[in-house]
Amino acid sequence: MTTPLAAVSPFAQEDDGVGGAEIAVIVLLIAIGIAVFVLWVAAIVSVLRSRRLTGGGKLLWIAVVLAFPFLGSIGWFAGGRDARLIRDAGPAAPFPDAR
């Protein structure tokens, strides 16, 4: 009876499938992906609910968040909510009569 050379070799390795380290990396990557997705959705909802921005400002921020999901979301929460693109309060008071 002959045995395969690989089975007799001291360097033969058994294929156990996926190891514990690989599973940990996969779980970590899935958790990071879910966190980025939640951040992305929260940024879009926050932009849409903002009362400080005009329609054009909201459109601009949505485009940034969609184009750059992670950096755009971080940018919105870091400084976009305090942006100067605010709604006009209405017409200014008329000038007093110069008599």
Side-chain angles (χ1 to χ4, degrees), residues 47-84:
V47 168
L48 291 174
R49 295 186 72 195
S50 175
R51 292 184 179 171
R52 293 180 47 103
L53 295 176
T54 62
K58 287 181 184 183
L59 184 65
L60 176 66
W61 271 109
I62 295 261
V64 168
V65 170
L66 289 176
F68 306 102
F70 182 70
L71 292 177
S73 299
I74 295 295
W76 167 253
F77 287 118
R81 292 187 295 174
D82 299 328
R84 301 258 185 227

Side-chain angles (χ1 to χ4, degrees), residues 1-4 8:
M1 182 166 171
T2 59
T3 58
V8 186

